[in-house]
mmCIF file of all heavy atoms in Angstrom:
data_model
loop_
_atom_site.group_PDB
_atom_site.id
_atom_site.type_symbol
_atom_site.label_atom_id
_atom_site.label_comp_id
_atom_site.label_asym_id
_atom_site.label_seq_id
_atom_site.Cartn_x
_atom_site.Cartn_y
_atom_site.Cartn_z
ATOM 1 N N PHE M 1281 -14.996 3.371 11.535
ATOM 2 C CA PHE M 1281 -15.463 4.489 10.711
ATOM 3 C C PHE M 1281 -15.789 5.742 11.532
ATOM 4 O O PHE M 1281 -15.250 6.822 11.239
ATOM 5 C CB PHE M 1281 -16.664 4.069 9.871
ATOM 6 C CG PHE M 1281 -17.190 5.159 8.984
ATOM 7 C CD1 PHE M 1281 -16.508 5.530 7.832
ATOM 8 C CD2 PHE M 1281 -18.355 5.836 9.310
ATOM 9 C CE1 PHE M 1281 -16.980 6.546 7.022
ATOM 10 C CE2 PHE M 1281 -18.836 6.851 8.508
ATOM 11 C CZ PHE M 1281 -18.139 7.210 7.363
ATOM 12 N N PRO M 1282 -16.654 5.669 12.556
ATOM 13 C CA PRO M 1282 -16.934 6.902 13.312
ATOM 14 C C PRO M 1282 -15.714 7.451 14.032
ATOM 15 O O PRO M 1282 -15.556 8.670 14.154
ATOM 16 C CB PRO M 1282 -18.020 6.475 14.303
ATOM 17 C CG PRO M 1282 -17.896 5.007 14.407
ATOM 18 C CD PRO M 1282 -17.451 4.535 13.066
ATOM 19 N N ILE M 1283 -14.825 6.565 14.482
ATOM 20 C CA ILE M 1283 -13.611 7.053 15.144
ATOM 21 C C ILE M 1283 -12.714 7.756 14.133
ATOM 22 O O ILE M 1283 -12.155 8.834 14.404
ATOM 23 C CB ILE M 1283 -12.856 5.899 15.831
ATOM 24 C CG1 ILE M 1283 -13.727 5.281 16.935
ATOM 25 C CG2 ILE M 1283 -11.537 6.386 16.412
ATOM 26 C CD1 ILE M 1283 -13.087 4.096 17.627
ATOM 27 N N GLY M 1284 -12.577 7.151 12.949
ATOM 28 C CA GLY M 1284 -11.766 7.785 11.910
ATOM 29 C C GLY M 1284 -12.322 9.132 11.491
ATOM 30 O O GLY M 1284 -11.567 10.094 11.287
ATOM 31 N N LYS M 1285 -13.645 9.220 11.366
ATOM 32 C CA LYS M 1285 -14.257 10.498 10.997
ATOM 33 C C LYS M 1285 -14.083 11.537 12.104
ATOM 34 O O LYS M 1285 -13.896 12.724 11.830
ATOM 35 C CB LYS M 1285 -15.751 10.300 10.705
ATOM 36 C CG LYS M 1285 -16.056 9.373 9.536
ATOM 37 C CD LYS M 1285 -15.414 9.823 8.250
ATOM 38 C CE LYS M 1285 -16.043 11.070 7.682
ATOM 39 N NZ LYS M 1285 -15.447 11.447 6.373
ATOM 40 N N THR M 1286 -14.127 11.082 13.348
ATOM 41 C CA THR M 1286 -13.898 12.013 14.463
ATOM 42 C C THR M 1286 -12.472 12.539 14.449
ATOM 43 O O THR M 1286 -12.233 13.746 14.627
ATOM 44 C CB THR M 1286 -14.189 11.308 15.804
ATOM 45 O OG1 THR M 1286 -15.543 10.846 15.809
ATOM 46 C CG2 THR M 1286 -13.972 12.257 16.964
ATOM 47 N N MET M 1287 -11.503 11.646 14.210
ATOM 48 C CA MET M 1287 -10.102 12.071 14.135
ATOM 49 C C MET M 1287 -9.892 13.038 12.978
ATOM 50 O O MET M 1287 -9.095 13.974 13.067
ATOM 51 C CB MET M 1287 -9.187 10.846 13.998
ATOM 52 C CG MET M 1287 -9.214 9.915 15.196
ATOM 53 S SD MET M 1287 -8.223 8.415 14.959
ATOM 54 C CE MET M 1287 -6.557 9.081 15.089
ATOM 55 N N GLU M 1288 -10.612 12.801 11.901
ATOM 56 C CA GLU M 1288 -10.524 13.699 10.743
ATOM 57 C C GLU M 1288 -10.927 15.127 11.113
ATOM 58 O O GLU M 1288 -10.358 16.098 10.600
ATOM 59 C CB GLU M 1288 -11.438 13.155 9.643
ATOM 60 C CG GLU M 1288 -11.779 14.119 8.539
ATOM 61 C CD GLU M 1288 -12.997 13.677 7.749
ATOM 62 O OE1 GLU M 1288 -13.113 12.456 7.482
ATOM 63 O OE2 GLU M 1288 -13.836 14.532 7.411
ATOM 64 N N LYS M 1289 -11.883 15.267 12.021
ATOM 65 C CA LYS M 1289 -12.413 16.581 12.357
ATOM 66 C C LYS M 1289 -11.634 17.282 13.465
ATOM 67 O O LYS M 1289 -11.581 18.516 13.501
ATOM 68 C CB LYS M 1289 -13.881 16.453 12.767
ATOM 69 C CG LYS M 1289 -14.787 15.963 11.649
ATOM 70 C CD LYS M 1289 -16.227 15.872 12.090
ATOM 71 C CE LYS M 1289 -17.119 15.281 11.009
ATOM 72 N NZ LYS M 1289 -17.055 16.018 9.733
ATOM 73 N N ILE M 1290 -11.035 16.521 14.398
ATOM 74 C CA ILE M 1290 -10.435 17.159 15.575
ATOM 75 C C ILE M 1290 -8.916 17.279 15.502
ATOM 76 O O ILE M 1290 -8.328 18.106 16.204
ATOM 77 C CB ILE M 1290 -10.819 16.411 16.865
ATOM 78 C CG1 ILE M 1290 -10.238 14.989 16.874
ATOM 79 C CG2 ILE M 1290 -12.333 16.364 17.032
ATOM 80 C CD1 ILE M 1290 -10.489 14.250 18.178
ATOM 81 N N ILE M 1291 -8.250 16.467 14.663
ATOM 82 C CA ILE M 1291 -6.788 16.532 14.572
ATOM 83 C C ILE M 1291 -6.404 17.606 13.561
ATOM 84 O O ILE M 1291 -6.977 17.677 12.467
ATOM 85 C CB ILE M 1291 -6.207 15.167 14.162
ATOM 86 C CG1 ILE M 1291 -6.503 14.114 15.238
ATOM 87 C CG2 ILE M 1291 -4.699 15.266 13.927
ATOM 88 C CD1 ILE M 1291 -5.996 12.730 14.890
ATOM 89 N N PRO M 1292 -5.446 18.468 13.902
ATOM 90 C CA PRO M 1292 -4.998 19.500 12.949
ATOM 91 C C PRO M 1292 -4.527 18.889 11.627
ATOM 92 O O PRO M 1292 -3.961 17.794 11.608
ATOM 93 C CB PRO M 1292 -3.851 20.186 13.696
ATOM 94 C CG PRO M 1292 -4.127 19.916 15.140
ATOM 95 C CD PRO M 1292 -4.757 18.563 15.203
ATOM 96 N N LYS M 1293 -4.753 19.591 10.548
ATOM 97 C CA LYS M 1293 -4.386 19.100 9.229
ATOM 98 C C LYS M 1293 -2.881 18.873 9.130
ATOM 99 O O LYS M 1293 -2.080 19.703 9.561
ATOM 100 C CB LYS M 1293 -4.822 20.081 8.144
ATOM 101 C CG LYS M 1293 -6.334 20.309 8.066
ATOM 102 C CD LYS M 1293 -7.073 19.027 7.705
ATOM 103 C CE LYS M 1293 -8.581 19.256 7.615
ATOM 104 N NZ LYS M 1293 -9.309 18.021 7.302
ATOM 105 N N SER M 1294 -2.524 17.729 8.554
ATOM 106 C CA SER M 1294 -1.115 17.366 8.422
ATOM 107 C C SER M 1294 -1.015 16.255 7.388
ATOM 108 O O SER M 1294 -1.942 15.449 7.240
ATOM 109 C CB SER M 1294 -0.551 16.895 9.769
ATOM 110 O OG SER M 1294 0.670 16.213 9.597
ATOM 111 N N ARG M 1295 0.120 16.199 6.654
ATOM 112 C CA ARG M 1295 0.287 15.148 5.655
ATOM 113 C C ARG M 1295 0.173 13.763 6.263
ATOM 114 O O ARG M 1295 -0.326 12.833 5.637
ATOM 115 C CB ARG M 1295 1.659 15.265 4.976
ATOM 116 C CG ARG M 1295 1.736 16.298 3.886
ATOM 117 C CD ARG M 1295 3.031 16.174 3.118
ATOM 118 N NE ARG M 1295 4.194 16.104 4.012
ATOM 119 C CZ ARG M 1295 5.448 15.995 3.594
ATOM 120 N NH1 ARG M 1295 5.699 15.956 2.305
ATOM 121 N NH2 ARG M 1295 6.440 15.948 4.445
ATOM 122 N N PHE M 1296 0.652 13.594 7.499
ATOM 123 C CA PHE M 1296 0.659 12.292 8.137
ATOM 124 C C PHE M 1296 -0.486 12.139 9.134
ATOM 125 O O PHE M 1296 -1.219 11.162 9.122
ATOM 126 C CB PHE M 1296 2.005 12.070 8.835
ATOM 127 C CG PHE M 1296 2.070 10.827 9.688
ATOM 128 C CD1 PHE M 1296 1.755 9.585 9.162
ATOM 129 C CD2 PHE M 1296 2.451 10.899 11.017
ATOM 130 C CE1 PHE M 1296 1.817 8.437 9.947
ATOM 131 C CE2 PHE M 1296 2.520 9.763 11.810
ATOM 132 C CZ PHE M 1296 2.200 8.537 11.270
ATOM 133 N N PHE M 1297 -0.663 13.127 10.009
ATOM 134 C CA PHE M 1297 -1.639 12.987 11.079
ATOM 135 C C PHE M 1297 -3.076 13.168 10.600
ATOM 136 O O PHE M 1297 -3.987 12.490 11.058
ATOM 137 C CB PHE M 1297 -1.329 13.976 12.202
ATOM 138 C CG PHE M 1297 -0.095 13.632 12.972
ATOM 139 C CD1 PHE M 1297 1.110 14.276 12.706
ATOM 140 C CD2 PHE M 1297 -0.119 12.658 13.945
ATOM 141 C CE1 PHE M 1297 2.261 13.950 13.399
ATOM 142 C CE2 PHE M 1297 1.024 12.316 14.649
ATOM 143 C CZ PHE M 1297 2.224 12.971 14.374
ATOM 144 N N ASN M 1298 -3.303 14.078 9.664
ATOM 145 C CA ASN M 1298 -4.663 14.285 9.182
ATOM 146 C C ASN M 1298 -4.603 14.866 7.772
ATOM 147 O O ASN M 1298 -4.774 16.068 7.560
ATOM 148 C CB ASN M 1298 -5.424 15.230 10.119
ATOM 149 C CG ASN M 1298 -6.891 15.349 9.757
ATOM 150 O OD1 ASN M 1298 -7.390 14.643 8.881
ATOM 151 N ND2 ASN M 1298 -7.585 16.247 10.426
ATOM 152 N N PRO M 1299 -4.365 14.012 6.768
ATOM 153 C CA PRO M 1299 -4.183 14.512 5.403
ATOM 154 C C PRO M 1299 -5.484 14.828 4.673
ATOM 155 O O PRO M 1299 -5.446 15.246 3.517
ATOM 156 C CB PRO M 1299 -3.456 13.350 4.721
ATOM 157 C CG PRO M 1299 -3.952 12.149 5.448
ATOM 158 C CD PRO M 1299 -4.164 12.572 6.870
ATOM 159 N N GLY M 1300 -6.632 14.620 5.325
ATOM 160 C CA GLY M 1300 -7.906 14.885 4.666
ATOM 161 C C GLY M 1300 -8.971 13.946 5.190
ATOM 162 O O GLY M 1300 -8.815 13.341 6.254
ATOM 163 N N PRO M 1301 -10.065 13.810 4.461
ATOM 164 C CA PRO M 1301 -11.156 12.941 4.908
ATOM 165 C C PRO M 1301 -10.690 11.500 5.111
ATOM 166 O O PRO M 1301 -9.844 10.982 4.364
ATOM 167 C CB PRO M 1301 -12.182 13.038 3.776
ATOM 168 C CG PRO M 1301 -11.887 14.343 3.113
ATOM 169 C CD PRO M 1301 -10.402 14.525 3.217
ATOM 170 N N PHE M 1302 -11.239 10.868 6.128
ATOM 171 C CA PHE M 1302 -10.975 9.449 6.383
ATOM 172 C C PHE M 1302 -11.522 8.653 5.211
ATOM 173 O O PHE M 1302 -12.722 8.680 4.926
ATOM 174 C CB PHE M 1302 -11.655 9.037 7.686
ATOM 175 C CG PHE M 1302 -11.447 7.601 8.064
ATOM 176 C CD1 PHE M 1302 -10.197 7.136 8.444
ATOM 177 C CD2 PHE M 1302 -12.514 6.707 8.053
ATOM 178 C CE1 PHE M 1302 -10.007 5.808 8.806
ATOM 179 C CE2 PHE M 1302 -12.339 5.385 8.417
ATOM 180 C CZ PHE M 1302 -11.079 4.932 8.792
ATOM 181 N N ASN M 1303 -10.643 7.945 4.496
ATOM 182 C CA ASN M 1303 -11.061 7.347 3.232
ATOM 183 C C ASN M 1303 -11.167 5.824 3.306
ATOM 184 O O ASN M 1303 -10.745 5.187 4.272
ATOM 185 C CB ASN M 1303 -10.116 7.781 2.104
ATOM 186 C CG ASN M 1303 -8.705 7.265 2.308
ATOM 187 O OD1 ASN M 1303 -8.432 6.073 2.233
ATOM 188 N ND2 ASN M 1303 -7.768 8.191 2.580
ATOM 189 N N LEU M 1304 -11.721 5.274 2.245
ATOM 190 C CA LEU M 1304 -11.997 3.841 2.197
ATOM 191 C C LEU M 1304 -10.725 3.010 2.296
ATOM 192 O O LEU M 1304 -10.719 1.947 2.917
ATOM 193 C CB LEU M 1304 -12.751 3.512 0.905
ATOM 194 C CG LEU M 1304 -13.127 2.040 0.712
ATOM 195 C CD1 LEU M 1304 -14.548 1.912 0.198
ATOM 196 C CD2 LEU M 1304 -12.166 1.353 -0.259
ATOM 197 N N LYS M 1305 -9.637 3.459 1.693
ATOM 198 C CA LYS M 1305 -8.415 2.657 1.720
ATOM 199 C C LYS M 1305 -7.836 2.561 3.123
ATOM 200 O O LYS M 1305 -7.341 1.501 3.533
ATOM 201 C CB LYS M 1305 -7.391 3.240 0.733
ATOM 202 C CG LYS M 1305 -7.867 3.175 -0.715
ATOM 203 C CD LYS M 1305 -6.812 3.612 -1.691
ATOM 204 C CE LYS M 1305 -7.350 3.588 -3.121
ATOM 205 N NZ LYS M 1305 -6.338 3.912 -4.130
ATOM 206 N N GLU M 1306 -7.876 3.654 3.871
ATOM 207 C CA GLU M 1306 -7.472 3.590 5.271
ATOM 208 C C GLU M 1306 -8.353 2.600 6.027
ATOM 209 O O GLU M 1306 -7.870 1.802 6.843
ATOM 210 C CB GLU M 1306 -7.592 4.969 5.919
ATOM 211 C CG GLU M 1306 -6.620 6.015 5.428
ATOM 212 C CD GLU M 1306 -6.903 7.358 6.076
ATOM 213 O OE1 GLU M 1306 -7.834 8.048 5.623
ATOM 214 O OE2 GLU M 1306 -6.199 7.710 7.044
ATOM 215 N N HIS M 1307 -9.640 2.664 5.757
ATOM 216 C CA HIS M 1307 -10.616 1.797 6.417
ATOM 217 C C HIS M 1307 -10.317 0.331 6.118
ATOM 218 O O HIS M 1307 -10.346 -0.534 7.020
ATOM 219 C CB HIS M 1307 -12.014 2.174 5.920
ATOM 220 C CG HIS M 1307 -13.113 1.734 6.827
ATOM 221 N ND1 HIS M 1307 -14.423 2.099 6.639
ATOM 222 C CD2 HIS M 1307 -13.125 0.943 7.928
ATOM 223 C CE1 HIS M 1307 -15.172 1.569 7.581
ATOM 224 N NE2 HIS M 1307 -14.414 0.854 8.367
ATOM 225 N N VAL M 1308 -10.011 0.023 4.876
ATOM 226 C CA VAL M 1308 -9.683 -1.349 4.485
ATOM 227 C C VAL M 1308 -8.411 -1.822 5.181
ATOM 228 O O VAL M 1308 -8.335 -2.961 5.671
ATOM 229 C CB VAL M 1308 -9.542 -1.455 2.957
ATOM 230 C CG1 VAL M 1308 -8.949 -2.802 2.553
ATOM 231 C CG2 VAL M 1308 -10.892 -1.245 2.274
ATOM 232 N N LEU M 1309 -7.404 -0.981 5.241
ATOM 233 C CA LEU M 1309 -6.139 -1.366 5.871
ATOM 234 C C LEU M 1309 -6.309 -1.628 7.366
ATOM 235 O O LEU M 1309 -5.723 -2.562 7.917
ATOM 236 C CB LEU M 1309 -5.088 -0.285 5.632
ATOM 237 C CG LEU M 1309 -4.546 -0.201 4.206
ATOM 238 C CD1 LEU M 1309 -3.695 1.054 4.027
ATOM 239 C CD2 LEU M 1309 -3.730 -1.438 3.853
ATOM 240 N N ILE M 1310 -7.102 -0.794 8.033
ATOM 241 C CA ILE M 1310 -7.366 -1.009 9.465
ATOM 242 C C ILE M 1310 -8.047 -2.359 9.673
ATOM 243 O O ILE M 1310 -7.654 -3.146 10.548
ATOM 244 C CB ILE M 1310 -8.246 0.133 10.016
ATOM 245 C CG1 ILE M 1310 -7.483 1.445 10.022
ATOM 246 C CG2 ILE M 1310 -8.740 -0.195 11.431
ATOM 247 C CD1 ILE M 1310 -8.360 2.666 10.239
ATOM 248 N N THR M 1311 -9.054 -2.637 8.871
ATOM 249 C CA THR M 1311 -9.793 -3.893 9.001
ATOM 250 C C THR M 1311 -8.907 -5.085 8.659
ATOM 251 O O THR M 1311 -8.978 -6.133 9.310
ATOM 252 C CB THR M 1311 -11.033 -3.874 8.096
ATOM 253 O OG1 THR M 1311 -11.805 -2.704 8.368
ATOM 254 C CG2 THR M 1311 -11.882 -5.098 8.312
ATOM 255 N N THR M 1312 -8.064 -4.946 7.643
ATOM 256 C CA THR M 1312 -7.169 -6.026 7.255
ATOM 257 C C THR M 1312 -6.182 -6.340 8.368
ATOM 258 O O THR M 1312 -5.908 -7.521 8.664
ATOM 259 C CB THR M 1312 -6.411 -5.657 5.969
ATOM 260 O OG1 THR M 1312 -7.349 -5.450 4.901
ATOM 261 C CG2 THR M 1312 -5.433 -6.749 5.579
ATOM 262 N N MET M 1313 -5.624 -5.313 9.001
ATOM 263 C CA MET M 1313 -4.684 -5.541 10.091
ATOM 264 C C MET M 1313 -5.362 -6.321 11.217
ATOM 265 O O MET M 1313 -4.797 -7.278 11.765
ATOM 266 C CB MET M 1313 -4.135 -4.216 10.630
ATOM 267 C CG MET M 1313 -2.961 -4.382 11.580
ATOM 268 S SD MET M 1313 -2.367 -2.824 12.317
ATOM 269 C CE MET M 1313 -1.868 -1.893 10.879
ATOM 270 N N ALA M 1314 -6.593 -5.930 11.552
ATOM 271 C CA ALA M 1314 -7.327 -6.644 12.598
ATOM 272 C C ALA M 1314 -7.699 -8.050 12.159
ATOM 273 O O ALA M 1314 -7.695 -8.991 12.969
ATOM 274 C CB ALA M 1314 -8.577 -5.855 12.975
ATOM 275 N N ASN M 1315 -7.997 -8.227 10.877
ATOM 276 C CA ASN M 1315 -8.382 -9.538 10.368
ATOM 277 C C ASN M 1315 -7.261 -10.556 10.487
ATOM 278 O O ASN M 1315 -7.504 -11.759 10.584
ATOM 279 C CB ASN M 1315 -8.823 -9.420 8.903
ATOM 280 C CG ASN M 1315 -9.509 -10.676 8.410
ATOM 281 O OD1 ASN M 1315 -10.414 -11.199 9.041
ATOM 282 N ND2 ASN M 1315 -9.066 -11.180 7.273
ATOM 283 N N CYS M 1316 -6.024 -10.075 10.477
ATOM 284 C CA CYS M 1316 -4.866 -10.977 10.618
ATOM 285 C C CYS M 1316 -4.715 -11.504 12.037
ATOM 286 O O CYS M 1316 -3.886 -12.386 12.281
ATOM 287 C CB CYS M 1316 -3.582 -10.257 10.203
ATOM 288 S SG CYS M 1316 -3.503 -9.844 8.446
ATOM 289 N N SER M 1317 -5.485 -10.957 12.977
ATOM 290 C CA SER M 1317 -5.288 -11.335 14.373
ATOM 291 C C SER M 1317 -6.545 -11.835 15.058
ATOM 292 O O SER M 1317 -6.484 -12.305 16.190
ATOM 293 C CB SER M 1317 -4.777 -10.126 15.162
ATOM 294 O OG SER M 1317 -5.778 -9.126 15.248
ATOM 295 N N TYR M 1318 -7.691 -11.745 14.404
ATOM 296 C CA TYR M 1318 -8.928 -12.038 15.138
ATOM 297 C C TYR M 1318 -9.090 -13.530 15.425
ATOM 298 O O TYR M 1318 -9.706 -13.916 16.422
ATOM 299 C CB TYR M 1318 -10.136 -11.473 14.388
ATOM 300 C CG TYR M 1318 -10.848 -12.439 13.470
ATOM 301 C CD1 TYR M 1318 -11.987 -13.120 13.901
ATOM 302 C CD2 TYR M 1318 -10.400 -12.666 12.172
ATOM 303 C CE1 TYR M 1318 -12.643 -13.996 13.068
ATOM 304 C CE2 TYR M 1318 -11.052 -13.528 11.333
ATOM 305 C CZ TYR M 1318 -12.180 -14.199 11.783
ATOM 306 O OH TYR M 1318 -12.828 -15.069 10.944
ATOM 307 N N THR M 1319 -8.548 -14.404 14.573
ATOM 308 C CA THR M 1319 -8.570 -15.831 14.857
ATOM 309 C C THR M 1319 -7.400 -16.173 15.762
ATOM 310 O O THR M 1319 -6.250 -15.900 15.423
ATOM 311 C CB THR M 1319 -8.477 -16.651 13.560
ATOM 312 O OG1 THR M 1319 -9.552 -16.284 12.690
ATOM 313 C CG2 THR M 1319 -8.564 -18.134 13.859
ATOM 314 N N THR M 1320 -7.671 -16.761 16.911
ATOM 315 C CA THR M 1320 -6.593 -17.060 17.852
ATOM 316 C C THR M 1320 -5.613 -18.049 17.229
ATOM 317 O O THR M 1320 -6.011 -18.989 16.537
ATOM 318 C CB THR M 1320 -7.155 -17.658 19.151
ATOM 319 O OG1 THR M 1320 -7.875 -18.858 18.851
ATOM 320 C CG2 THR M 1320 -8.094 -16.683 19.829
ATOM 321 N N ALA M 1321 -4.348 -17.825 17.477
ATOM 322 C CA ALA M 1321 -3.303 -18.663 16.898
ATOM 323 C C ALA M 1321 -3.479 -20.114 17.336
ATOM 324 O O ALA M 1321 -3.607 -20.412 18.528
ATOM 325 C CB ALA M 1321 -1.929 -18.144 17.316
ATOM 326 N N TYR M 1322 -3.485 -21.013 16.382
ATOM 327 C CA TYR M 1322 -3.696 -22.437 16.648
ATOM 328 C C TYR M 1322 -2.634 -22.990 17.586
ATOM 329 O O TYR M 1322 -2.905 -23.880 18.396
ATOM 330 C CB TYR M 1322 -3.658 -23.172 15.307
ATOM 331 C CG TYR M 1322 -4.420 -24.467 15.237
ATOM 332 C CD1 TYR M 1322 -5.809 -24.477 15.352
ATOM 333 C CD2 TYR M 1322 -3.771 -25.677 15.023
ATOM 334 C CE1 TYR M 1322 -6.526 -25.668 15.248
ATOM 335 C CE2 TYR M 1322 -4.473 -26.865 14.915
ATOM 336 C CZ TYR M 1322 -5.846 -26.861 15.034
ATOM 337 O OH TYR M 1322 -6.548 -28.039 14.937
ATOM 338 N N ALA M 1323 -1.428 -22.451 17.478
ATOM 339 C CA ALA M 1323 -0.321 -22.958 18.283
ATOM 340 C C ALA M 1323 -0.510 -22.702 19.769
ATOM 341 O O ALA M 1323 0.145 -23.346 20.599
ATOM 342 C CB ALA M 1323 0.999 -22.334 17.807
ATOM 343 N N ILE M 1324 -1.391 -21.769 20.134
ATOM 344 C CA ILE M 1324 -1.629 -21.491 21.551
ATOM 345 C C ILE M 1324 -2.115 -22.742 22.264
ATOM 346 O O ILE M 1324 -1.741 -23.012 23.418
ATOM 347 C CB ILE M 1324 -2.643 -20.342 21.724
ATOM 348 C CG1 ILE M 1324 -2.044 -19.021 21.226
ATOM 349 C CG2 ILE M 1324 -3.078 -20.203 23.171
ATOM 350 C CD1 ILE M 1324 -0.862 -18.530 22.026
ATOM 351 N N ASP M 1325 -2.931 -23.532 21.607
ATOM 352 C CA ASP M 1325 -3.417 -24.763 22.230
ATOM 353 C C ASP M 1325 -2.276 -25.727 22.547
ATOM 354 O O ASP M 1325 -2.329 -26.454 23.543
ATOM 355 C CB ASP M 1325 -4.440 -25.447 21.322
ATOM 356 C CG ASP M 1325 -5.855 -24.946 21.574
ATOM 357 O OD1 ASP M 1325 -6.131 -24.498 22.705
ATOM 358 O OD2 ASP M 1325 -6.683 -24.990 20.655
#
């Protein structure tokens, strides 16, 4: 969240790079992507 809000303020406005305030859906997607990897793969053992 604080990193996203910082990027919102310092990156020039752009449809892709900075389309507006850092929003909840972006936040959910970031967390979901990390959630898919935080448990170490069982096959590693």
